[in-house]
Amino acid sequence: MHKLIKIIGTVAVINIVARLLGFLREVAIGYKYGTSTMADAIAVAYTIPNFIYLVVGGALTTAFISVYHSSDSDKNYFVRKAFTSVLVTVLTIVVLIILLTDPILHVFFSELNPDNNRIVRNLFLWMMPSTIFLVLSTWMSGLLNLNGLFTLSSVAILIYNLLFVLIGFTFTSVFGPLSYGIGAFVAAVVMGGFLYVGLRKSQPYSFKPLFTKSPDVIRMWRIALPILLGGASLQFYFIIHRIVAAGLEPGVISSVNYASKLTGFPQAIMMTAVTTVIYPLLSKKEGEGDDKTIRSLYRKGMVYLVSLLVPVTVIAYIFAEPLVTLVFGYGNFTQESIDQTVPIFKVFALSMFFLASNTYITRFYYAKGNSVIPVLFSIINVFVVNLIVIYSLLGSFGASAIAYGTVFSSASNFVMLFIYAKMKWRL
């Protein structure tokens, strides 16, 4: 266990730097554009590409890891088949979405004015192709983690965030908001190349496409589809944020984005480090039938989350204004922008523990081969509890109602997941 904690600590340190760089991108956008319509446009343009990257990439990678340990077929053969399946899937999705760009943007963001719509469209067409490399990078990172090469996959995220912020900030005076679209694409290509080279040097896998049928790949998809639906429902939090905020006054989209990113920073560091290391181990222990170790990992992880995130939540809530000012209060992020963002951030802070715990507990469901129940709970909470809370409070609390929806629905989801796991597996 000591060795496991040491590995988690190493991955956490790298992820802290990587996440800081990613967060610096939001700070740079705030510095240049504040909570203006330009900042809104950047946040909106990244919503759908990010949605696909996290949902499709996350689901296929999680399912791949689950099947890898239990597969009886040649590992190199399975890797080739899985890589081919992931590549064809993401290429098909991206091409279809690019062809349907205008109707998609109209359906999801119909409230945008013509100027914003033009900016969003141009940004979107730059950012969308980056999704191909992001999904493939997620899958390659999973393969590296299976082989114990956790550091390499974490460094790749660091490189991606560094390039994204450097290109976006450096060239914004030349290309305007479009620089962040260019940055997203270039950074994703470089990260994908870095991981590919690292894999080829460290492991003798072949990535030559292989289109023959494979029972293991079919099983991978059977596992992935429920996970994909569950991940999609969770990522719909952010799409709902954008859709509701688009109907409010200008600048609300970016204020909600800044507040949610600042809230997500500590939980992302914790969950990325823990799940990167623990999930491959969980899958292995489940395959061995080692329920004792699984229960031990579960309980220790929950203790870590409570001891780390509850104090962070209290600090974030009490010191919300100085924190927002310290992080974003530069350049065009004026006092007005601060006043608009602080109330939203305070409410979002209350969801930190619940969102992190939901991600953590769900990994144990996946390891147990149960991906249906988390999907059901997510759909109920994101699309029912969340929307009821938002539209019930919108008239009284304005943009903060969006954050309240996340708090109440994530707390409800946590209770459901926790109780079911306790009853079903005595976790």
Side-chain angles (χ1 to χ4, degrees):
M1 186 60 69
H2 176 72
K3 183 179 178 181
L4 177 65
I5 294 172
K6 185 177 180 181
I7 294 171
I8 291 174
T10 302
V11 174
V13 170
I14 297 172
N15 272 287
I16 287 171
V17 178
R19 295 287 175 176
L20 279 171
L21 288 170
F23 196 72
L24 186 60
R25 178 179 66 245
E26 306 301 325
V27 175
I29 294 169
Y31 177 85
K32 180 65 178 179
Y33 299 110
T35 51
S36 65
T37 54
M38 292 292 188
D40 287 353
I42 295 170
V44 168
Y46 199 58
T47 300
I48 295 175
N50 199 50
F51 176 87
I52 295 167
Y53 151 53
L54 292 172
V55 171
V56 177
L60 289 175
T61 302
T62 300
F64 169 74
I65 291 172
S66 298
V67 175
Y68 185 92
H69 281 301
S70 59
S71 173
D72 294 326
S73 64
D74 178 76
K75 291 292 188 279
N76 190 56
Y77 174 83
F78 176 50
V79 166
R80 286 180 64 189
K81 280 294 302 174
F83 176 78
T84 304
S85 184
V86 173
L87 177 61
V88 170
T89 299
V90 69
L91 278 173
T92 302
I93 292 171
V94 169
V95 169
L96 284 174
I97 289 179
I98 288 176
L99 291 174
L100 297 171
T101 293
D102 290 327
I104 288 173
L105 292 180
H106 178 74
V107 168
F108 285 102
F109 308 109
S110 58
E111 300 292 333
L112 293 173
N113 62 48
D115 287 340
N116 272 14
N117 189 69
R118 178 179 53 81
I119 297 168
V120 169
R121 188 180 188 280
N122 291 336
L123 275 166
F124 183 79
L125 291 175
W126 266 102
M127 289 180 171
M128 199 63 228
S130 71
T131 311
I132 298 168
F133 300 95
L134 290 172
V135 170
L136 291 175
S137 294
T138 301
W139 181 84
M140 287 189 285
S141 293
L143 185 55
L144 283 166
N145 295 338
L146 280 169
N147 289 281
L149 301 170
F150 304 105
T151 302
L152 194 58
S153 59
S154 298
V155 169
I157 295 292
L158 190 152
I159 292 171
Y160 170 76
N161 285 330
L162 176 62
L163 285 175
F164 197 158
V165 69
L166 277 178
I167 294 171
F169 183 74
T170 303
F171 294 99
T172 192
S173 58
V174 179
F175 299 108
L178 194 62
S179 64
Y180 287 94
I182 298 169
F185 179 75
V186 173
V189 172
V190 172
M191 178 172 69
F194 174 82
L195 287 168
Y196 177 79
V197 171
L199 266 171
R200 293 304 303 270
K201 285 185 176 180
S202 60
Q203 299 294 325
Y205 294 120
S206 169
F207 294 98
K208 185 178 179 181
L210 186 62
F211 293 93
T212 57
K213 288 184 178 180
S214 167
D216 286 331
V217 172
I218 292 172
R219 189 153 61 96
M220 182 184 82
W221 272 101
R222 285 176 179 167
I223 296 171
L225 285 174
I227 297 173
L228 193 150
L229 291 172
S233 60
L234 290 173
Q235 289 304 314
F236 259 105
Y237 269 127
F238 302 103
I239 289 184
I240 290 169
H241 292 171
R242 304 291 190 267
I243 293 172
V244 176
L248 302 175
E249 63 267 22
V252 170
I253 293 176
S254 48
S255 289
V256 170
N257 181 59
Y258 295 134
S260 64
K261 289 292 173 61
L262 184 55
T263 303
F265 180 69
Q267 59 168 312
I269 290 171
M270 274 298 301
M271 292 318 303
T272 301
V274 173
T275 57
T276 294
V277 178
I278 283 184
Y279 186 65
L281 178 61
L282 269 180
S283 298
K284 183 179 179 181
K285 293 300 178 183
E286 182 62 28
E288 296 171 354
D290 189 352
D291 291 334
K292 184 178 179 180
T293 299
I294 290 173
R295 290 193 188 99
S296 176
L297 284 169
Y298 178 82
R299 289 163 187 166
K300 286 179 184 295
M302 289 302 298
V303 170
Y304 293 153
L305 288 176
V306 170
S307 60
L308 289 169
L309 287 178
V310 171
V312 170
T313 297
V314 173
I315 292 170
Y317 188 87
I318 294 174
F319 299 102
E321 183 165 354
L323 276 172
V324 172
T325 303
L326 176 66
V327 174
F328 293 111
Y330 311 100
N332 289 315
F333 203 95
T334 61
Q335 186 60 47
E336 182 181 354
S337 298
I338 293 170
D339 294 339
Q340 190 176 44
T341 305
V342 166
I344 304 170
F345 170 66
K346 289 182 72 172
V347 181
F348 266 131
L350 302 176
S351 68
M352 277 196 287
F353 170 76
F354 299 118
L355 289 172
S357 296
N358 291 344
T359 301
Y360 180 74
I361 296 173
T362 298
R363 290 296 181 271
F364 285 81
Y365 279 77
Y366 294 162
K368 290 287 184 182
N370 188 332
S371 52
V372 175
I373 292 298
V375 171
L376 179 62
F377 290 164
S378 294
I379 290 172
I380 291 170
N381 287 291
V382 174
F383 295 107
V384 180
V385 177
N386 182 38
L387 288 173
I388 288 174
V389 172
I390 288 175
Y391 286 106
S392 297
L393 301 180
L394 197 59
S396 302
F397 293 93
S400 293
I402 298 170
Y404 276 115
T406 301
V407 173
F408 283 100
S409 58
S410 62
S412 173
N413 201 38
F414 169 75
V415 171
M416 291 180 181
L417 287 168
F418 185 84
I419 291 176
Y420 187 91
K422 189 81 172 176
M423 295 172 60
K424 182 73 174 178
W425 302 298
R426 293 185 292 118
L427 291 177

